[in-house]
Amino acid sequence: MKNFLSVQDSLPVQSLIETALSYKAHPLKDHTLGKGKRIGLLFLNPSMRTRLSTQIAAQNLGMDALVFNVGQDGWALEFEEEAIMSGTTVEHVKEAAPILGNYFDVLGIRTFPSLKNKEEDYHELYINQFVKYCGIPVVSLESATVHPLQSLTDLITITETFREKRKPKIVLTWAPHVKALPQCVANSFSEWVIQWGQADFVIAHPEDYELNSRFTQGATITHNQEEALKDADFVYVKNWSTYTDYGRIYCNDPGWMLTLKKLESTRQAKVMHCLPVRRNVELSDEVLDSRHSLVTRQAANRVWAAQAVISEILKS
Ligand code: CP
């Protein structure tokens, strides 16, 4: 594995899931693999789970992990080619990235979309400029359009909790939120489940919340949440803003919040969310505090996903 930017860098998915589960069983089995190597973790946006789990994963492999909160502590970066830097940006990625490439052996980067310019966001300018100029492997810690470490974690969690000899039914359902959020987690979860190929996969959302079809081809898509939830084994709850008329909130119908009542038609479904979650907006207390919820287990599994990815990069 050269870079880890999307599911395309992670095929076959099943093999990466198995590597992650082997680290969960034996966290220190490769504790010298990264000896003498350093990973830099750059955050242009806030994070709790990604930041801490990736540091722990690197340490389990014997690597040093250094965190740099670029958005908070660093110089404002410029990413556009041929920019005339007479505005607020202070340092160009053409200088910053190769410097980081000298300091580190692997670079993890978290960026976010603007949610203002669809073309720019979906071209992944920020992370691609780091890949272009840093000269070392890059791990996406979430980018403008996808969150692959989260999706790998989600499939690890589904694999270890589903024990039946049939395909699980997985439902990704939109939920209300107070802010316009990126499509990253939904895009990524969808493309990972489809590439994994071992589930019946349904996406439920209100009208106007269609995701980019590049990520959803192979899924059943419906605007009827009740119908989607029938016989579900896993329900993944996530808000996202509109894709077509980009970055907006059209419907914020509280009727889309997942409740215990709605889970009655499922097969005792397990409920998932990437976190952080807005309680009683996206998901009710009664669901989050019930035996249905996998959310903290999911977050704990972030370590094994990161460890599997970093180990694959170190090995290659
Ligand atoms: N799920 C997730 O990426 O969490 P953080 O934003 O806290 O890293």
Side-chain angles (χ1 to χ4, degrees):
M1 188 186 290
K2 190 166 177 295
N3 296 305
F4 179 76
L5 305 176
S6 81
V7 72
Q8 301 308 328
D9 300 313
S10 324
L11 303 174
V13 171
Q14 186 60 34
S15 152
L16 205 51
I17 294 172
E18 280 160 22
T19 303
L21 286 171
S22 78
Y23 282 124
K24 184 165 184 173
H26 304 287
L28 299 180
K29 72 180 175 123
D30 282 333
H31 70 280
T32 57
L33 184 66
K35 196 166 185 297
K37 296 195 186 293
R38 278 188 293 267
I39 184 168
L41 302 173
L42 266 62
F43 287 86
L44 279 81
N45 296 90
S47 162
M48 180 175 85
R49 282 145 288 270
T50 308
R51 177 194 313 252
L52 296 174
S53 63
T54 311
Q55 285 181 83
I56 295 166
Q59 284 166 6
N60 284 349
L61 295 167
M63 289 183 99
D64 284 331
L66 278 79
V67 173
F68 181 34
N69 299 316
V70 190
Q72 195 179 310
D73 304 326
W75 300 113
L77 288 177
E78 177 61 58
F79 291 88
E80 293 289 348
E81 300 286 343
E82 298 175 20
I84 298 168
M85 291 172 57
S86 56
T88 52
T89 54
V90 177
E91 176 149 39
H92 204 285
V93 69
K94 282 179 153 179
E95 280 79 52
I99 292 167
L100 296 167
N102 275 285
Y103 293 162
F104 299 110
D105 301 281
V106 181
L107 205 53
I109 301 166
R110 164 169 284 197
T111 66
F112 256 51
S114 65
L115 290 183
K116 291 186 173 78
N117 185 327
K118 178 158 57 175
E119 303 301 314
E120 221 171 77
D121 287 346
Y122 274 72
H123 275 103
E124 293 282 11
L125 176 70
Y126 293 178
I127 202 159
N128 284 336
Q129 290 289 66
F130 272 105
V131 171
K132 186 171 172 186
Y133 292 116
C134 75
I136 56 172
V138 172
V139 174
S140 167
L141 304 175
E142 186 169 4
S143 65
T145 64
V146 287
H147 195 350
L149 276 176
Q150 180 66 52
S151 308
L152 173 57
T153 305
D154 300 334
L155 290 184
I156 293 164
T157 310
I158 289 169
T159 300
E160 70 175 359
T161 51
F162 191 70
R163 291 280 161 223
E164 295 187 40
K165 292 204 181 326
R166 61 173 172 83
K167 282 185 174 182
K169 178 178 176 183
I170 300 175
V171 178
L172 167 64
T173 179
W174 183 92
H177 202 281
V178 295
K179 280 175 64 182
L181 295 189
Q183 295 102 31
C184 307
V185 170
N187 284 343
S188 204
F189 183 70
S190 179
E191 73 170 351
W192 277 74
V193 172
I194 291 165
Q195 274 291 346
W196 184 49
Q198 299 190 29
D200 293 324
F201 183 44
V202 180
I203 303 175
H205 58 71
E207 282 181 37
D208 302 318
Y209 279 86
E210 276 71 25
L211 295 164
N212 181 328
S213 59
R214 170 155 70 92
F215 299 99
T216 59
Q217 260 162 23
T220 302
I221 299 171
T222 174
H223 298 148
N224 186 333
Q225 189 190 47
E226 191 182 336
E227 190 180 286
L229 290 175
K230 235 174 266 168
D231 295 329
D233 296 292
F234 294 90
V235 183
Y236 201 106
V237 181
K238 186 70 187 90
N239 170 269
W240 61 89
S241 58
T242 52
Y243 169 72
T244 308
D245 183 15
Y246 192 56
R248 301 172 70 120
I249 299 178
Y250 270 19
C251 149
N252 225 359
D253 179 1
W256 276 79
M257 181 176 79
L258 192 72
T259 59
L260 271 185
K261 179 82 189 144
K262 289 187 185 178
L263 290 175
E264 284 174 6
S265 69
T266 68
R267 289 182 162 129
Q268 303 286 316
K270 297 293 183 197
V271 175
M272 305 177 72
H273 189 289
C274 61
L275 302 182
V277 63
R278 297 266 183 161
R279 278 177 174 256
N280 302 311
V281 177
E282 294 174 86
L283 270 164
S284 68
D285 274 341
E286 55 175 12
V287 174
L288 279 165
D289 297 332
S290 77
R291 64 191 166 75
H292 291 276
S293 174
L294 286 182
V295 300
T296 52
R297 184 171 185 153
Q298 259 175 283
N301 281 339
R302 291 292 305 267
V303 172
W304 319 119
Q307 197 164 335
V309 167
I310 298 168
S311 77
E312 289 298 324
I313 286 174
L314 291 174
K315 284 175 191 164
S316 60

